Amino acid sequence: MWNYEKRLQFPIHIKNPNPALAAMIISQYGGPDGESSASMRYLSQRYSMPYREVSGLLTDIATEELSHLEMVSVMVHQLTRNLSVDQIKGTPFEAYYVDHTTGIWPQAAGGIPFNACEFQSKGDAITDLVEDLAAEQKARSTYDNLIRLTDDADVLEPLRFLRQREIVHFQRFGEALSLVQQRLDFNNFYAFNPEFDKKCK
Ligand SMILES: [Fe+2]
């Protein structure tokens, strides 16, 4: 069960419309390393995670990723509201506009729609946590790229905040991986089960 708080995790007040930038930022809504795949990944993985602390961490981070999904939506919305068609024509937002007007829809900057194959839930604690570490770095790199593409302080501040949170998540997942490795349990970790290892050789 979730409780919804009607405020953003970080305030966003973008004054200048910028459809070209919106067409890039949408990638953190529905792109391969965006907040949709982050939240779905952790919400899905938590059931098979054998330790309550790690399962709880997945729930906490997934919940925060949902609030980041909301922030990205607000950024795209504020960058594209009240645009005239002339302001859209000839920009990278034009193709998106044909399909979605200025509605929010999950796709990558390159136009590829969101797809559940962009994340994994493998049911193996180490496999999943290693994916989560990589996912946080990929999200951080994407925010790096977006930060390089703008000088608008109204956009930079929330982007910097989101980037910092990916770094924190990476560190938390690192702690979770060491906790799991310290408590290796052959019933839960196929890769470290000597009987199964024999079968693999
Ligand atoms: Fe994250």
Side-chain angles (χ1 to χ4, degrees):
M1 172 182 158
W2 275 263
N3 289 319
Y4 180 74
E5 251 186 80
K6 203 176 174 187
R7 67 181 176 90
L8 292 177
Q9 193 187 14
F10 185 93
I12 302 174
H13 302 289
I14 300 171
K15 293 179 282 298
N16 302 317
N18 187 335
L21 190 56
M24 304 300 120
I25 291 179
I26 195 71
S27 220
Q28 283 301 71
Y29 190 76
D33 307 311
E35 305 290 356
S36 293
S37 62
S39 50
M40 289 296 294
R41 173 185 300 109
Y42 309 143
L43 287 174
S44 304
Q45 289 178 352
R46 63 198 176 127
Y47 297 98
S48 56
M49 196 52 73
Y51 302 121
R52 287 175 63 88
E53 305 95 301
V54 184
S55 175
L57 177 68
L58 285 166
T59 307
D60 288 349
I61 296 182
T63 302
E64 188 180 351
E65 305 292 18
L66 288 172
S67 72
H68 296 170
L69 189 66
E70 184 180 39
M71 283 179 64
V72 172
S73 314
V74 169
M75 293 174 81
V76 173
H77 171 66
Q78 292 188 2
L79 286 165
T80 57
R81 65 186 164 184
N82 305 323
L83 286 173
S84 66
V85 173
D86 281 343
Q87 286 174 297
I88 291 168
K89 273 187 193 167
T91 75
F93 187 72
E94 192 172 26
Y96 180 97
Y97 175 80
V98 169
D99 290 329
H100 312 292
T101 324
T102 55
I104 303 295
W105 192 77
Q107 70 168 48
I112 301 158
F114 178 70
N115 181 328
C117 295
E118 283 157 358
F119 68 89
Q120 181 56 285
S121 176
K122 201 71 174 176
D124 179 290
I126 291 180
T127 306
D128 283 349
L129 285 169
V130 171
E131 160 154 333
D132 301 345
L133 285 160
E136 294 296 336
Q137 287 296 343
K138 289 187 284 180
R140 193 265 309 150
S141 301
T142 308
Y143 282 119
D144 286 354
N145 293 340
L146 291 172
I147 285 168
R148 288 186 188 103
L149 292 176
T150 181
D151 293 316
D152 183 340
D154 295 344
V155 180
L156 277 174
E157 282 177 28
L159 287 178
R160 285 192 193 114
F161 171 83
L162 290 164
R163 177 184 181 276
Q164 284 166 2
R165 297 308 299 162
E166 307 302 3
I167 295 168
V168 172
H169 294 167
F170 176 76
Q171 289 170 331
R172 301 288 313 275
F173 281 129
E175 292 158 15
L177 180 62
S178 8
L179 188 146
V180 167
Q181 284 170 327
Q182 282 160 20
R183 297 188 198 169
L184 287 178
D185 168 354
F186 290 162
N187 292 321
N188 291 319
F189 304 105
Y190 309 122
F192 293 90
N193 181 331
E195 289 308 309
F196 187 69
D197 274 356
K198 273 188 228 156
K199 196 173 180 186
C200 293
K201 284 171 188 161

PDB file of all heavy atoms in Angstrom, residues 61 65 136 165-166 169, ligand 1:
ATOM      1  N   ILE A  61      13.636   2.186  -2.434  1.00  0.00           N
ATOM      2  CA  ILE A  61      14.219   2.841  -3.618  1.00  0.00           C
ATOM      3  C   ILE A  61      13.198   2.876  -4.751  1.00  0.00           C
ATOM      4  O   ILE A  61      13.068   3.882  -5.451  1.00  0.00           O
ATOM      5  CB  ILE A  61      15.558   2.186  -4.020  1.00  0.00           C
ATOM      6  CG1 ILE A  61      16.587   2.383  -2.894  1.00  0.00           C
ATOM      7  CG2 ILE A  61      16.094   2.789  -5.318  1.00  0.00           C
ATOM      8  CD1 ILE A  61      17.973   1.838  -3.168  1.00  0.00           C
ATOM      9  N   GLU A  65      11.918   6.060  -6.759  1.00  0.00           N
ATOM     10  CA  GLU A  65      11.992   6.160  -8.231  1.00  0.00           C
ATOM     11  C   GLU A  65      10.645   6.607  -8.809  1.00  0.00           C
ATOM     12  O   GLU A  65      10.597   7.314  -9.814  1.00  0.00           O
ATOM     13  CB  GLU A  65      12.408   4.821  -8.859  1.00  0.00           C
ATOM     14  CG  GLU A  65      13.716   4.218  -8.344  1.00  0.00           C
ATOM     15  CD  GLU A  65      14.975   4.980  -8.712  1.00  0.00           C
ATOM     16  OE1 GLU A  65      14.899   6.154  -9.082  1.00  0.00           O
ATOM     17  OE2 GLU A  65      16.067   4.361  -8.611  1.00  0.00           O
ATOM     18  N   GLU A 136      21.781   1.864 -11.811  1.00  0.00           N
ATOM     19  CA  GLU A 136      21.968   3.176 -11.178  1.00  0.00           C
ATOM     20  C   GLU A 136      23.075   3.964 -11.884  1.00  0.00           C
ATOM     21  O   GLU A 136      22.974   5.175 -12.050  1.00  0.00           O
ATOM     22  CB  GLU A 136      22.284   3.014  -9.688  1.00  0.00           C
ATOM     23  CG  GLU A 136      21.135   2.427  -8.881  1.00  0.00           C
ATOM     24  CD  GLU A 136      19.892   3.318  -8.856  1.00  0.00           C
ATOM     25  OE1 GLU A 136      20.031   4.537  -9.056  1.00  0.00           O
ATOM     26  OE2 GLU A 136      18.792   2.790  -8.666  1.00  0.00           O
ATOM     27  N   ARG A 165      20.766  11.442  -6.500  1.00  0.00           N
ATOM     28  CA  ARG A 165      20.016  10.319  -5.917  1.00  0.00           C
ATOM     29  C   ARG A 165      20.442   8.988  -6.536  1.00  0.00           C
ATOM     30  O   ARG A 165      20.440   7.958  -5.867  1.00  0.00           O
ATOM     31  CB  ARG A 165      18.501  10.526  -6.078  1.00  0.00           C
ATOM     32  CG  ARG A 165      17.944  11.730  -5.360  1.00  0.00           C
ATOM     33  CD  ARG A 165      18.343  11.776  -3.904  1.00  0.00           C
ATOM     34  NE  ARG A 165      17.861  10.620  -3.149  1.00  0.00           N
ATOM     35  CZ  ARG A 165      18.338  10.224  -1.976  1.00  0.00           C
ATOM     36  NH1 ARG A 165      19.320  10.885  -1.407  1.00  0.00           N
ATOM     37  NH2 ARG A 165      17.850   9.154  -1.376  1.00  0.00           N
ATOM     38  N   GLU A 166      20.792   8.986  -7.834  1.00  0.00           N
ATOM     39  CA  GLU A 166      21.263   7.742  -8.466  1.00  0.00           C
ATOM     40  C   GLU A 166      22.565   7.290  -7.808  1.00  0.00           C
ATOM     41  O   GLU A 166      22.795   6.094  -7.615  1.00  0.00           O
ATOM     42  CB  GLU A 166      21.487   7.923  -9.977  1.00  0.00           C
ATOM     43  CG  GLU A 166      20.331   8.500 -10.768  1.00  0.00           C
ATOM     44  CD  GLU A 166      19.037   7.720 -10.675  1.00  0.00           C
ATOM     45  OE1 GLU A 166      18.967   6.712  -9.944  1.00  0.00           O
ATOM     46  OE2 GLU A 166      18.071   8.143 -11.329  1.00  0.00           O
ATOM     47  N   HIS A 169      21.671   5.742  -4.512  1.00  0.00           N
ATOM     48  CA  HIS A 169      21.094   4.403  -4.708  1.00  0.00           C
ATOM     49  C   HIS A 169      22.186   3.380  -5.032  1.00  0.00           C
ATOM     50  O   HIS A 169      22.144   2.247  -4.567  1.00  0.00           O
ATOM     51  CB  HIS A 169      20.064   4.423  -5.853  1.00  0.00           C
ATOM     52  CG  HIS A 169      18.857   5.247  -5.542  1.00  0.00           C
ATOM     53  ND1 HIS A 169      17.947   5.617  -6.495  1.00  0.00           N
ATOM     54  CD2 HIS A 169      18.426   5.794  -4.377  1.00  0.00           C
ATOM     55  CE1 HIS A 169      16.993   6.349  -5.936  1.00  0.00           C
ATOM     56  NE2 HIS A 169      17.267   6.475  -4.649  1.00  0.00           N
TER      57      HIS A 169
HETATM   58 FE    FE B   1      17.850   5.352  -8.759  1.00  0.00          FE
END
